[in-house]
Amino acid sequence: MALRQKIAVLIGGVGGAKLALGLANLQPNPHLTFIVNTGDDFWHLGLKICPDIDTLVYTLAGTVDPQLGWGVADDTTHVLDSLRQRYAIDTWFKLGDQDLALHLLRTNAMRGQVSLTDFTSMIARRLGIAATILPMCDAEMPTSIHTREHGELSFQDYFVRQRWQPVVEKIAYDSGQAAGLSAQVREALTCADLVMIAPSNPWLSIAPILAVPGLRELLMALPAPKVAITPVIGGDAVKGPTAKIMRELDLEVSARTVAGYYGGIIDGFVDDLRNPHFSVAGLRTTRLDTLMTDLERKVALARDTLDWVRGWSS
Ligand code: FO1
């Protein structure tokens, strides 16, 4: 492997950001590129909101709200309060004042034809983030959720407004108007010594990335090892609707199901110590502690995963 290892990570929001922090604190530090889900991006109150990108940016900049896992720590809500109290606007989507600053800047930049890729790189540099953060693509590819109770819902309507309670019947990944892979995503994947799939929700966070035209095919053709980490621990997800969605889609809630879902893409799967053993022909598996409750455990999971993959070539 190269002296300074190049790692590309497919990643969603809160769950994936924990692994990102572990990777970012490794010594010696690898060259990291995060390819981030934008299927949950939306326009709200005239602003372009990119929750997963922002969660990663705030996490790596050290400013994320530690309780929520998204938004800025100790943020105020003067703008939102004013919208609600003075103008009777339904403020179902919580936007703190410092967070709003980023949405204002991004909306302004995009109106000026700056791409989301360029804007995100500029913000990451400004906030002193060493890693490269790339949106999965520059075109809008909104994920929509078909529910039993309300029919088709936009992602944030389902996730935040309805608190992911409606029963999911189908998830649709839009690739209609996507321009395809950006040059930056293509280069990051092509040059990577290792590709990782973070323990993010496979159906809500990783599948939209895999739906970017050309990305799945590129991944499958890469010679570099590709490894996913389980988001399912002990028959449940640490946080969020992963297990609930699996049940609603009639899938067994297990790491094996997730490994099968990534079949044809990954060579290795990091399962959790607490899960029952399984084996899949042609897939390397290991079992580690994937519950990233503090920084030490985040770094340990990142380090142990890299050590495991390094062992493949010896
Ligand atoms: N999640 C919530 O559950 N409620 C919110 O009001 C909310 C606001 C919000 C604002 C900015 C941001 O970057 C993220 C925000 N999130 C909120 C989290 C986010 O919408 C979801 O976790 C992701 O979209 C799923 O990955």
Side-chain angles (χ1 to χ4, degrees):
M1 280 182 191
L3 261 185
R4 186 160 178 239
Q5 199 181 11
K6 294 196 184 80
I7 304 177
V9 189
L10 311 191
I11 194 162
V14 178
K18 293 182 188 174
L19 177 74
L21 200 57
L23 287 164
N25 279 278
L26 283 176
Q27 289 300 334
N29 56 331
H31 185 284
L32 296 169
T33 302
F34 296 102
I35 298 169
V36 188
N37 170 42
T38 58
D40 59 349
D41 290 9
F42 73 134
W43 288 85
H44 184 61
L45 300 170
L47 299 173
K48 170 84 170 168
I49 318 277
C50 303
D52 287 1
I53 289 178
D54 295 351
T55 293
L56 197 59
V57 164
Y58 295 146
T59 300
L60 294 177
T63 58
V64 78
D65 183 309
Q67 261 77 48
L68 297 171
W70 49 266
V72 178
D74 302 320
D75 210 350
T76 51
T77 54
H78 297 302
V79 173
L80 218 64
D81 295 345
S82 179
L83 284 168
R84 191 178 55 252
Q85 290 159 12
R86 286 176 192 254
Y87 303 103
I89 300 290
D90 180 0
T91 52
W92 58 277
F93 196 76
K94 303 283 170 272
L95 292 170
D97 297 323
Q98 294 189 61
D99 191 24
L100 272 167
L102 180 52
H103 308 316
L104 287 173
L105 271 184
R106 176 166 43 221
T107 305
N108 197 37
M110 295 186 77
R111 290 243 158 89
Q113 305 305 313
V114 176
S115 71
L116 184 57
T117 298
D118 288 346
F119 175 79
T120 307
S121 296
M122 189 268 285
I123 286 298
R125 262 199 313 276
R126 185 76 55 84
L127 296 179
I129 297 169
T132 302
I133 301 178
L134 298 175
M136 66 189 199
C137 69
D138 279 315
E140 295 189 355
M141 288 182 65
T143 300
S144 55
I145 316 290
H146 295 249
T147 66
R148 187 191 292 163
E149 297 87 338
H150 307 283
E152 183 176 348
L153 294 176
S154 63
F155 184 91
Q156 297 299 345
D157 227 352
Y158 160 77
F159 198 93
V160 173
R161 194 179 235 166
Q162 305 289 340
R163 297 164 198 268
W164 44 269
Q165 289 314 298
V167 174
V168 174
E169 293 183 329
K170 195 183 98 178
I171 305 171
Y173 310 103
D174 185 341
S175 58
Q177 44 170 321
L181 285 181
S182 66
Q184 293 86 340
V185 166
R186 180 179 296 281
E187 192 188 339
L189 289 173
T190 310
C191 297
D193 301 305
L194 168 66
V195 177
M196 297 176 80
I197 300 182
S200 303
N201 185 315
W203 289 273
L204 297 185
S205 300
I206 304 298
I209 306 177
L210 297 174
V212 176
L215 196 139
R216 181 185 285 269
E217 295 74 14
L218 177 59
L219 274 181
M220 289 171 81
L222 288 180
K226 286 150 279 177
V227 171
I229 299 178
T230 184
V232 174
I233 303 179
D236 206 349
V238 179
K239 201 178 169 204
T242 305
K244 177 175 177 286
I245 289 175
M246 289 172 86
R247 280 191 293 273
E248 290 165 356
L249 295 178
D250 272 336
L251 298 168
E252 180 190 83
V253 183
S254 68
R256 177 202 290 272
T257 307
V258 176
Y261 188 66
Y262 295 140
I265 296 175
I266 55 170
D267 318 292
F269 188 79
V270 176
D271 199 0
D272 188 84
L273 291 171
R274 300 156 189 86
N275 289 343
H277 274 284
F278 74 90
S279 63
V280 172
L283 182 69
R284 300 174 196 249
T285 55
T286 190
R287 286 149 57 86
L288 299 172
D289 183 357
T290 67
L291 196 59
M292 296 177 279
T293 43
D294 55 30
L295 182 61
E296 206 177 311
R297 283 171 154 207
K298 291 169 191 164
V299 175
L301 177 59
R303 187 195 55 228
D304 294 349
T305 301
L306 299 199
D307 286 350
W308 176 57
V309 177
R310 271 190 207 106
W312 295 3
S313 44
S314 56

